[in-house]
Amino acid sequence: HNVQNSRYWGKLYQKSQLGGGESREDYWVDFYESHTQKIREFAMKHLSLTYVEVELENPRMAEILEGYTRVKRSCVMDCHPGPKWVRENN
């Protein structure tokens, strides 16, 4: 399993090192999106888990999480900018 993960993440890293014009920012956006997909795939293989996905930039994020997890929205702090914010503001 670790070898498979190493190959997966290593491939993503190597892609960024090929000089294909990808910026450091693009590398991290790709990393984030690839990692998110791996989490989705894990959740689909383990259907006993409850998987909730909400964009951190969504103004209703705390309300949505409270609905699924019962963690009070007042406990959810404002997030740091994610890939969507970076793309829209760079």
Side-chain angles (χ1 to χ4, degrees):
H1 182 64
N2 284 338
V3 171
Q4 184 180 6
N5 282 341
S6 296
R7 286 184 189 142
Y8 179 83
W9 296 117
K11 226 180 197 181
L12 184 62
Y13 178 75
Q14 287 173 352
K15 176 184 163 196
S16 74
Q17 301 301 308
L18 294 177
E22 184 176 51
S23 70
R24 183 179 177 105
E25 176 185 317
D26 290 338
Y27 168 77
W28 286 112
V29 169
D30 286 347
F31 175 86
Y32 172 85
E33 291 171 352
S34 296
H35 185 64
T36 300
Q37 185 59 34
K38 291 293 278 185
I39 293 169
R40 290 175 183 148
E41 291 169 10
F42 180 86
M44 290 300 295
K45 290 178 184 175
H46 301 86
L47 296 176
S48 63
L49 297 174
T50 299
Y51 175 70
V52 178
E53 184 174 316
V54 183
E55 282 189 346
L56 295 177
E57 295 93 349
N58 184 329
R60 293 187 54 236
M61 184 257 306
E63 176 188 346
I64 293 167
L65 287 176
E66 181 181 38
Y68 281 98
T69 65
R70 297 186 182 173
V71 172
K72 292 183 181 184
R73 64 185 85 178
S74 60
C75 293
V76 178
M77 300 178 70
D78 289 331
C79 68
H80 297 285
K84 180 179 175 184
W85 185 90
V86 170
R87 278 193 295 268
E88 291 175 354
N89 294 282
N90 271 344

